[in-house]
Amino acid sequence: MPAVDAVPVIASDTARGEEGRREELRRLVRFLVLGLAAAAVNWLVRFPLSWFMPFGAAVALAQIIGMTAGFTLYRAYVFPASDLPLSRQIMRFVGVNCVSGVQVWLMTMGLAALLPWLGLGWQHEAIAHGVSIGVGAATSYVGHKFLTFRQG
């Protein structure tokens, strides 16, 4: 019986596409986990800041510290391969966060007004804010992927 040559296994386009989707899901999960960590930094750092500055100033400075943590974490663990200059990444990061922040605020206000009208009056503000944060996170992810930390 003649020997059969081993045929190298080459990943099909479908398999490569599936692996790409899995990697994108892993990236999205890292983004959400690290975004939660940055939000926690923002929230927690405000308490000691309030000991020596007015509340409003502490909130503003905590926001900047949280955004810095988010930028650093996203750049290192979610989108490490960007070829854009650091200064451009920072400017785009702030811009994307401003857009998603406005989006979250507008959507929260709209849903908070709409939900009681639909009969969902209990905790309508918390629900509106939670849903809006989720949508804002999706907007931020897309903005950071394609603008802030884009590759080539």
Side-chain angles (χ1 to χ4, degrees), residues 38 41-43 45-47 49 57-67:
V41 166
N42 179 349
W43 188 71
V45 76
R46 200 267 316 149
F47 294 102
L49 291 172
V59 169
L61 184 55
Q63 177 71 23
I64 292 168
I65 293 169
M67 279 181 57

Side-chain angles (χ1 to χ4, degrees), residues 79-104:
F79 305 107
S82 177
D83 56 357
L84 292 173
L86 180 61
S87 61
R88 187 166 296 156
Q89 289 179 27
I90 291 169
M91 288 179 2
R92 290 180 178 190
F93 185 83
V94 170
V96 167
N97 280 314
C98 287
V99 169
S100 70
V102 168
Q103 175 191 25
V104 167

Side-chain angles (χ1 to χ4, degrees), residues 32 34 63-64 72 83 92 98 109 132-133 140 144 146:
L32 293 173
L34 295 173
Q63 177 71 23
I64 292 168
T72 303
D83 56 357
R92 290 180 178 190
C98 287
M109 297 298 107
S132 299
I133 287 172
S140 291
H144 292 319
F146 293 108

Side-chain angles (χ1 to χ4, degrees), residues 16-72:
R16 280 189 293 249
E18 183 64 30
E19 181 56 33
R21 285 189 291 277
R22 278 196 294 268
E23 178 53 37
E24 192 63 25
L25 179 60
R26 286 190 290 269
R27 181 183 297 186
L28 178 60
V29 168
R30 284 192 308 267
F31 178 85
L32 293 173
V33 168
L34 295 173
L36 183 60
V41 166
N42 179 349
W43 188 71
L44 290 170
V45 76
R46 200 267 316 149
F47 294 102
L49 291 172
S50 290
W51 295 337
F52 59 89
M53 63 177 51
F55 178 73
V59 169
L61 184 55
Q63 177 71 23
I64 292 168
I65 293 169
M67 279 181 57
T68 302
F71 176 83
T72 303

Side-chain angles (χ1 to χ4, degrees), residues 32 100 103-112 114-115 120 123-139:
L32 293 173
S100 70
Q103 175 191 25
V104 167
W105 187 86
L106 289 171
M107 188 172 179
T108 298
M109 297 298 107
L111 284 175
L114 179 65
L115 290 177
L120 298 170
Q123 296 295 324
H124 65 282
E125 290 177 342
I127 293 168
H129 193 207
V131 168
S132 299
I133 287 172
V135 173
T139 300

